[in-house]
């Protein structure tokens, strides 16, 4: 693949290791506080993350200057309270079972409306990308949220390197299909493989991230290793995990959740407190990891990223295109 070389990251933009070590000890303190409160959630899913994966550090990435840094969700919760139906529908299932997934070697198929179709080794793709930390709030359609220091690269850069044709109006992403490694795919919870999509301008938006890690380390399997999407102004289900295919297409792709329940999960899935899910309100959210009895948080339009993304939807009826 003809991908341009990553520009070298300046030394002072690299997060010093000690910063993360410091933040990990804050996390341990908050985890202790959480445990002291007797949270059923943590007790039910308690495990040692090091038993699940190697804990590989990511050494070189540009540091975030996010204003929501002090709201970080503890690492233990980010990696133990998950949605990844390929490993089961329980929140603890991905952490318990995702170790089955072999994430190296990993190839990504690029096809459709591109000048450079092919099957690319993930390592080759990564060598040419500039990794950055982005602290984003992930707001799930189930009305809970977390704040996570993701590490990844701009999807726009990757798309430019694929050389989109003039017919490339949408991007379709597909998760690995392998029921032996992903036993949840033996059940008909969704039509497998999991597919998601974005409009081209959404995919090219500078906030849209292809994530390869979190908390300074390689992506834990349960969070979507080795490569997942993060679109911070949309509900979490758009953030497809363990991606093996990226296809640029002319027409809006059929996506898994939209296909399974069209009236509940729209294609756009922009976080919108004014459009309720048919079975519950979207006006508030439970903050994962917040001390017991903390009031729910008010959900913000576009998950708080309205200033950056509202213009993408100018003139659109967001109740119709939810
Ligand atoms: N991607 C795949 N392949 N399968 C899934 O079940 N769940 C989605 C999304 N990506 C899902 C997926 C949903 S509903 C959410 S809220 C987020 O992943 C959860 O990401 P997290 O577990 O890292 O918090």
């Amino acid at each position: 693949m003809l991908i341009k070389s990553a520009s070298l990251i300046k030394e002072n933009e690299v997060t010093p290791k000690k910063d993360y070590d410091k933040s990990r000890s804050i996390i341990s303190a908050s985890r202790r506080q959480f445990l002291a409160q007797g949270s059923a959630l943590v007790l039910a899913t308690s495990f040692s993350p090091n038993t699940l994966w190697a804990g590989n550090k990511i050494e070189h990435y540009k540091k975030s200057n996010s204003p929501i840094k002090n709201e970080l969700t503890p690492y233990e919760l980010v990696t133990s309270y998950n949605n990844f139906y390929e490993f089961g529908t329980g929140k603890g299932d991905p952490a318990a079972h995702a170790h089955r997934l072999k994430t190296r070697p990993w190839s990504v198929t690029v096809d459709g409306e591109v000048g450079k179709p092919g099957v690319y080794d993930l390592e080759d793709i990564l060598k040419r990308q500039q990794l950055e930390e982005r602290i984003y709030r992930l707001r799930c359609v189930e009305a809970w949220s977390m704040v996570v220091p993701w590490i990844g690269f701009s999807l726009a850069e990757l798309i430019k390197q694929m050389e989109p044709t003039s017919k490339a109006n949408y991007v379709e992403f597909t998760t690995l299909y392998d029921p032996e490694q992903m036993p949840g795919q033996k059940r008909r919870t969704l039509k497998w493989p999991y597919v998601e999509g974005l409009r081209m301008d959404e995919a090219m938006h500078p906030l849209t991230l292809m994530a390869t890690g979190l908390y300074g380390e390689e992506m834990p399997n349960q969070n979507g290793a080795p490569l997942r999407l993060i679109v911070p102004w949309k509900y979490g289900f758009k953030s497809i995990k363990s991606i093996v295919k990226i296809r640029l297409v002319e027409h809006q792709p059929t996506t898994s959740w939209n296909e399974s329940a069209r009236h509940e999960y729209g294609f756009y899935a922009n976080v919108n407190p004014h459009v309720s899910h048919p079975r519950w309100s979207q006006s508030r959210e439970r903050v994962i990891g917040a001390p017991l009895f903390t009031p729910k948080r008010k959900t913000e339009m576009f998950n708080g990223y309205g200033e950056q993304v509202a213009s993408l939807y100018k003139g659109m009826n967001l109740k119709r295109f939810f």
Side-chain angles (χ1 to χ4, degrees):
M1 190 182 206
L2 256 185
I3 296 184
K4 68 174 192 250
S5 296
S7 46
L8 279 172
I9 304 166
K10 289 189 210 112
E11 255 323 289
N12 62 1
E13 290 179 326
V14 173
T15 306
K17 259 193 189 159
K18 62 176 175 37
D19 280 7
Y20 260 121
D21 295 344
K22 225 190 297 163
S23 80
R24 290 295 284 271
S25 57
I26 296 166
I27 291 154
S28 305
S30 76
R31 183 168 189 245
R32 276 196 298 279
Q33 182 195 8
F34 202 79
L35 284 168
Q37 284 157 350
S39 160
L41 169 72
V42 169
L43 294 177
T45 57
S46 131
F47 71 101
S48 160
N50 292 327
T51 59
L52 293 172
W53 52 288
N56 295 334
K57 296 256 183 279
I58 297 179
E59 296 288 344
H60 297 286
Y61 57 91
K62 204 170 125 193
K63 205 177 162 180
S64 168
N65 54 7
S66 166
I68 52 173
K69 203 165 193 156
N70 58 1
E71 296 176 47
L72 290 186
T73 305
Y75 173 88
E76 283 80 1
L77 288 174
V78 173
T79 56
S80 65
Y81 188 85
N82 299 100
N83 273 337
F84 199 170
Y85 279 19
E86 285 83 342
F87 295 102
T89 53
K91 296 288 180 259
D93 288 341
H97 304 299
H99 61 275
R100 288 171 179 239
L101 180 65
K102 191 169 169 250
T103 59
R104 292 292 196 282
W106 189 270
S107 46
V108 179
T109 301
V110 168
D111 67 10
E113 296 295 338
V114 292
K116 303 275 173 204
V119 179
Y120 299 101
D121 190 86
L122 179 62
E123 299 299 338
D124 290 337
I125 295 177
L126 291 181
K127 267 184 223 151
R128 293 164 173 85
Q129 306 302 328
Q130 183 174 312
L131 293 183
E132 292 175 44
E133 180 187 66
R134 307 258 191 99
I135 299 178
Y136 285 156
R137 186 181 305 280
L138 181 114
R139 170 46 161 96
C140 183
V141 74
E142 295 165 336
W144 51 261
S145 68
M146 303 186 174
V147 177
V148 181
W150 304 102
I151 295 176
F153 57 90
S154 161
L155 174 61
E157 282 311 308
L158 183 64
I159 291 179
K160 279 184 220 156
Q161 292 156 8
M162 294 174 179
E163 299 186 2
T165 74
S166 60
K167 286 196 202 155
N169 297 327
Y170 292 88
V171 187
E172 180 195 85
F173 304 86
T174 308
T175 293
L176 176 72
Y177 178 72
D178 184 345
E180 288 314 308
Q181 292 194 75
M182 296 177 146
Q185 290 176 335
K186 292 178 183 169
R187 296 186 176 185
R188 292 201 193 150
T189 12
L190 285 172
K191 198 170 154 204
W192 309 109
Y194 195 103
V195 174
E196 257 312 331
L198 295 174
R199 216 171 56 187
M200 196 63 169
D201 57 346
E202 298 175 325
M204 297 301 287
H205 194 280
L207 287 181
T208 306
L209 188 73
M210 291 301 289
T212 60
L214 53 81
Y215 268 112
E217 295 177 351
E218 280 196 12
M219 191 68 81
N221 284 3
Q222 59 268 39
N223 293 88
L227 185 67
R228 73 173 287 182
L229 181 68
I230 303 287
V231 196
W233 68 96
K234 293 182 181 279
Y235 291 122
F237 70 87
K238 298 297 282 183
S239 296
I240 180 172
K241 297 177 168 182
S242 305
I243 295 168
V244 291
K245 187 157 46 154
I246 304 177
R247 213 155 71 90
L248 305 198
V249 293
E250 188 173 0
H251 303 291
Q252 185 177 303
T254 303
T255 54
S256 295
W257 282 104
N258 187 235
E259 193 180 22
S260 78
R262 195 160 298 276
H263 302 294
E264 302 196 354
Y265 310 105
F267 174 80
Y268 283 92
N270 290 321
V271 174
N272 189 341
H274 313 299
V275 176
S276 298
H277 182 282
R279 290 180 280 138
W280 60 81
S281 162
Q282 294 291 24
S283 67
R284 293 183 172 271
E285 66 210 39
R286 191 164 55 90
V287 176
I288 301 293
L292 225 54
F293 308 121
T294 302
K296 286 186 176 172
R297 180 180 191 279
K298 265 191 166 169
T299 292
E300 294 171 79
M301 188 66 205
F302 297 116
N303 205 20
Y305 301 95
E307 212 174 289
Q308 294 99 313
V309 302
S311 61
L312 298 178
Y313 309 100
K314 220 171 147 201
M316 268 177 78
N317 178 345
L318 296 180
K319 290 206 159 109
R320 180 160 173 236
F321 297 101
F322 63 99

